[in-house]
């Protein structure tokens, strides 16, 4: 049977809350030209009544990383920029665990009470984001379920039950399937969805496509980036697409399996956090290519330009030993040809690459290619770490006799130890030491695919022999549809905006009190300048020195928040490609989401 954990932990709505403030901290409404801080608007279940810890407090700024913009109009069928946008977010917690959030951001009418209190122009719209939050990387079902909720809300046909009743049923009743054993079937207003996860004996679940990585970097650059990550260098990815920054970061972290990245991991860094690049410790960060870094020292930083297939660094990256390098390069090329477009023919505007397609491909890139690419890198580790188990020595401080391991390799390969710079650096990394420590864990030892692969290779077996030869059909677990008391057959619920969840009496009183204070202040002093939260001088009166000090304060504040919260947002934009349409009345909304999202999935 399925575990007691649930796939959907929270449903959250973020956007413009009753306390409006600009991104620079100024309270109040300052015109449509300003960007505003996103806030929690609604969620189910409420934090005090949930089985899980509450959503991270920084979630609104993560799901709407550019802030909230106010518009004079909503969705326009002739303007792609007004279409809803779908994308997942990944939050990395301090212990390395991840929170997965599937999002749809769209323009929604601003609530009338907020418009009245802040004297915002009537019939204005603002960015709003609905999200499913989970600790399970089941991005497909998270995305599909969220799309169904969104389409139900805005479809002219409406839905058979109140929208928040449908949401509460999904969040409260859909269990997380047992890996490799269960398939959970559930419905969202007559749309059937399913969820299952791979067996634990397989490679770790990676619900992303590796296609962007191999399309942005040629094989030699890919191996160079892989080596730099493996040796725990300071890695800075640059791209004008947030999509690429996060997908490449996630993909390369999966390719170094069974090693885990142990250092700072911020696939998308705030523009005001450019100073982080000066950090002396290893990191993997992503920075939009439009952000100026001329004031930052780049000594020793490995800068990877994903737009132009370029890697620059002031420090040498030692090459992988020849035999392993030849294997890795040859196997990747065999996988990619003819299934990848040559770098020379790539379009700089990666958003259109889905239309460009893989013209020379006999078969489009799919999950099997992802699996084969990961297996190639696992086979690489089996070669370069050959015989490592014979040199594990828990009596040593590091738990590994590196000197004896290198001498043995020198005898086998007829290469001097001095020529093994890359391997010498690798076995001193925190990632390798962490791997050795995990090998002592009973569960980790049982499912250690690297050891299984080395043993299978020694017996002359195929690498595929390390995976289960037969996987039993999963047990089907069907979640019954909800029966809402008082709902009448044939009655449809239609909405012109995303509805608010029922508020508690305390929440309603708090909202009224906030808006009453704002409304009172607006009537008493309609033309008074906004007050900065920190109580400091107004931005236009700051001297250059004060501006510099203010900037340092803001950067320090960001650092403190990142360290205190111990989680980082990563934006991974995906398309919401659907396998079916549920009636012509829903086609338009599905079409707008597909058109406005970049296609990077399987």
């Amino acid at each position: 049977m399925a575990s007691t954990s649930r796939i959907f932990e929270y449903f959250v709505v973020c956007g413009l809350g009753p306390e409006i403030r600009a991104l620079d901290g100024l309270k109040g409404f300052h015109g449509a030209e300003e960007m505003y801080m996103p806030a929690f608007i609604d969620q189910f279940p409420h934090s005090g009544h949930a089985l899980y810890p509450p959503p991270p407090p920084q979630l609104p700024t993560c799901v709407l990383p550019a802030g909230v913009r106010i518009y004079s109009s909503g969705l326009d069928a002739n303007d792609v920029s007004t279409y809803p946008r779908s994308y997942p977010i990944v939050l990395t917690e301090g212990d390395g665990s991840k929170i997965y959030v599937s999002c749809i951001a769209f323009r929604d009418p601003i609530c009338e009470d907020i418009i009245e209190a802040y004297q915002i122009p009537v019939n204005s719209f603002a960015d709003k984001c609905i999200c499913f939050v989970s600790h399970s990387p089941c991005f497909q079902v998270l995305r599909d379920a969220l799309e169904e909720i969104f389409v139900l809300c805005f479809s002219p046909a409406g839905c058979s039950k109140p929208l928040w009743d449908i949401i509460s049923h999904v969040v409260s009743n859909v269990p997380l399937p047992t890996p490799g054993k269960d398939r959970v079937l559930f419905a969202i207003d007559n749309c059937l969805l399913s969820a299952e996860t791979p067996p634990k004996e397989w490679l770790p679940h990676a619900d992303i496509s590796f296609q962007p990585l191999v399309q942005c970097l040629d094989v030699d650059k890919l191996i160079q980036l892989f080596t730099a990550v493996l040796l725990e260098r300071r890695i800075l990815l640059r791209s004008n697409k947030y999509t690429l920054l996060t997908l490449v970061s996630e993909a390369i972290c999966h390719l170094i399996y069974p090693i885990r990245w142990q250092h700072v991991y911020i696939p998308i860094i705030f523009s005001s956090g450019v100073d982080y690049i000066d950090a002396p410790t290893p990191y993997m960060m992503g920075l939009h290519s439009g952000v100026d870094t001329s004031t930052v020292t780049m000594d020793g930083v490995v800068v990877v330009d994903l737009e132009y297939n370029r890697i620059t660094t002031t420090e040498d990256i030692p090459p992988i030993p020849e035999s392993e390098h030849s294997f890795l390069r040859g196997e990747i090329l065999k996988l990619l040809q003819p299934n990848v477009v040559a770098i020379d023919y790539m379009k700089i505007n990666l958003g259109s690459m889905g239309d460009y397609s893989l013209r020379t491909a006999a078969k489009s890139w799919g999950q099997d290619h992802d699996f084969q690419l990961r297996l190639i890198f696992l086979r690489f580790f089996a070669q370069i770490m050959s015989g490592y188990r014979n040199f594990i020595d828990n009596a040593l401080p590091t738990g590994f006799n590196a000197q004896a391991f290198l001498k043995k390799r020198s005898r086998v390969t007829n290469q001097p130890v001095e020529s093994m710079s890359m391997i010498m650096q690798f076995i001193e990394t925190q990632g390798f030491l962490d791997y050795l420590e995990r090998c002592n864990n009973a569960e980790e030892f049982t499912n250690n695919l690297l050891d299984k692969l080395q043993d299978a290779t020694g017996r002359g077996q195929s690498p595929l022999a390390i995976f289960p030869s037969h996987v039993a059909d999963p047990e089907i677990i069907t979640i019954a549809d909800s029966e809402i008391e008082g709902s009448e057959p044939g009655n449809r619920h239609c909405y012109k905006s995303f509805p608010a969840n029922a508020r508690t009496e305390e929440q309603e009183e708090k909202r009224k009190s906030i808006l009453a204070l704002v409304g009172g202040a607006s009537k008493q002093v309609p033309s008074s300048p906004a007050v900065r939260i920190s109580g400091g001088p107004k931005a236009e009166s700051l001297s250059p020195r004060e501006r510099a000090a203010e900037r340092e304060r803001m950067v320090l504040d960001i650092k403190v928040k990142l360290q205190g919260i111990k989680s980082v947002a990563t934006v991974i934009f995906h398309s919401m490609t659907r396998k079916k349409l549920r009636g012509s009345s829903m086609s338009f909304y599905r079409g707008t989401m597909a058109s406005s999202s970049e296609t990077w999935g399987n």
Side-chain angles (χ1 to χ4, degrees), residues 97-110:
S97 61
K98 294 182 178 181
I99 300 174
Y100 302 90
V101 187
S102 187
C103 312
I104 298 178
F106 55 99
R107 297 184 182 187
D108 208 37
I110 301 175

Side-chain angles (χ1 to χ4, degrees), residues 203 255 331-332 335 365-379 464:
L203 289 165
L255 290 184
E331 291 297 312
I332 296 174
L335 176 66
W365 188 278
Q367 292 183 355
D368 183 60
H369 295 89
D370 292 333
F371 170 76
Q372 293 295 336
L373 184 65
R374 298 175 72 187
L375 185 58
I376 288 170
F377 279 86
L378 183 62
R379 292 166 63 194
L464 296 178

Side-chain angles (χ1 to χ4, degrees), residues 190-367:
N190 299 323
C191 176
L192 186 64
L193 299 174
S194 67
E196 58 184 314
T197 56
K200 290 183 178 180
E201 296 82 8
W202 286 76
L203 289 165
H205 192 196
D207 201 13
I208 61 168
S209 172
F210 291 74
Q211 183 180 6
L213 175 62
V214 298
Q215 284 186 316
C216 290
L217 298 177
D218 63 33
V219 175
D220 293 321
K221 297 297 190 302
L222 169 58
I223 293 176
Q224 189 179 10
L225 171 60
F226 168 78
T227 307
V229 172
L230 201 58
L231 299 184
E232 299 180 345
R233 297 296 183 87
R234 293 185 293 160
I235 313 292
L236 181 67
L237 304 178
R238 301 299 306 269
S239 174
N240 62 11
K241 300 284 185 183
Y242 289 128
T243 309
L244 287 180
L245 295 176
T246 50
L247 282 182
V248 169
S249 299
E250 286 287 295
I252 206 71
C253 283
H254 280 291
L255 290 184
I256 65 172
Y257 172 85
I259 307 301
R260 294 177 182 172
W261 180 256
Q262 298 291 305
H263 304 280
V264 174
Y265 180 65
I266 313 177
I268 297 179
I269 194 171
F270 302 104
S271 4
S272 58
V274 171
D275 291 347
Y276 294 170
I277 297 172
D278 284 333
T281 56
Y283 58 72
M284 194 189 310
M285 299 181 185
L287 184 66
H288 194 281
S289 55
V291 178
D292 181 26
T293 58
S294 59
T295 60
V296 182
T297 303
M298 290 289 190
D299 288 346
V301 179
V302 179
V303 182
V304 183
D305 190 328
L306 298 174
E307 308 297 331
Y308 296 98
N309 181 39
R310 185 168 55 211
I311 296 179
T312 57
T313 180
T314 58
E315 295 182 359
D316 290 335
I317 302 173
I320 293 173
E322 179 58 32
S323 59
E324 285 84 1
H325 181 273
S326 296
F327 163 80
L328 192 57
R329 189 176 191 277
E331 291 297 312
I332 296 174
L333 284 173
K334 282 195 291 185
L335 176 66
L336 299 184
Q337 296 177 347
N339 292 317
V340 71
V341 179
I343 289 293
D344 293 341
Y345 295 98
M346 280 181 55
K347 295 184 178 180
I348 297 303
N349 181 11
L350 293 168
S352 64
M353 288 183 64
D355 297 332
Y356 185 57
S357 77
L358 305 179
R359 295 177 182 171
T360 62
K363 179 182 177 183
S364 60
W365 188 278
Q367 292 183 355

Side-chain angles (χ1 to χ4, degrees), residues 153-191:
C153 176
F154 292 104
S155 166
C159 44
S160 61
K161 307 176 186 70
L163 192 65
W164 278 95
D165 289 340
I166 296 173
I167 291 168
S168 63
H169 174 74
V170 170
V171 173
S172 303
N173 294 282
V174 180
L176 185 67
T178 304
K181 295 183 179 180
D182 300 334
R183 178 181 297 155
V184 177
L185 302 180
F186 64 100
I188 296 182
D189 205 56
N190 299 323
C191 176

Side-chain angles (χ1 to χ4, degrees), residues 486-523:
S487 62
E488 300 178 6
N491 188 27
R492 307 298 293 180
H493 300 265
C494 301
Y495 306 93
K496 293 183 178 179
S497 63
F498 200 88
N501 193 10
R503 302 187 187 101
T504 64
E505 188 174 329
E506 181 183 355
Q507 289 172 330
E508 189 64 32
E509 286 302 318
K510 182 179 179 181
R511 181 186 178 91
K512 287 181 178 178
S513 137
I514 291 171
L515 294 176
L517 287 174
V518 173
S522 299
K523 292 173 183 177

Side-chain angles (χ1 to χ4, degrees), residues 452-592:
K452 290 181 179 180
L453 180 56
Q454 289 182 336
D455 293 341
T457 302
R459 294 190 295 266
Q461 295 177 313
S462 164
L464 296 178
I466 68 175
F467 301 107
S469 57
H470 174 72
V471 179
D473 291 335
E475 177 186 354
I476 304 298
I477 298 176
T478 304
I479 306 303
D481 197 4
S482 60
E483 294 293 336
I484 307 300
E485 186 177 348
S487 62
E488 300 178 6
N491 188 27
R492 307 298 293 180
H493 300 265
C494 301
Y495 306 93
K496 293 183 178 179
S497 63
F498 200 88
N501 193 10
R503 302 187 187 101
T504 64
E505 188 174 329
E506 181 183 355
Q507 289 172 330
E508 189 64 32
E509 286 302 318
K510 182 179 179 181
R511 181 186 178 91
K512 287 181 178 178
S513 137
I514 291 171
L515 294 176
L517 287 174
V518 173
S522 299
K523 292 173 183 177
Q524 293 172 20
V525 195
S527 60
S528 62
V531 178
R532 186 173 295 276
I533 293 174
S534 63
K538 287 174 285 186
E540 59 270 19
S541 64
L542 291 175
S543 68
R545 179 175 295 182
E546 288 172 326
R547 281 198 185 94
E550 177 71 3
R551 180 177 176 277
E552 290 181 5
R553 182 195 66 77
M554 291 177 65
V555 171
L556 178 61
D557 181 57
I558 291 173
K559 290 181 179 179
V560 169
K561 287 179 179 178
L562 284 175
Q563 293 172 355
I565 297 172
K566 293 185 177 178
S567 53
V568 176
T570 67
V571 182
I572 309 177
F573 294 87
H574 277 268
S575 70
M576 283 183 136
T577 305
R578 302 291 291 133
K579 296 181 180 178
K580 56 187 180 302
L581 298 179
R582 297 198 302 112
S584 59
S585 63
M586 299 185 180
S587 301
F588 175 69
Y589 283 100
R590 296 192 191 282
T592 58

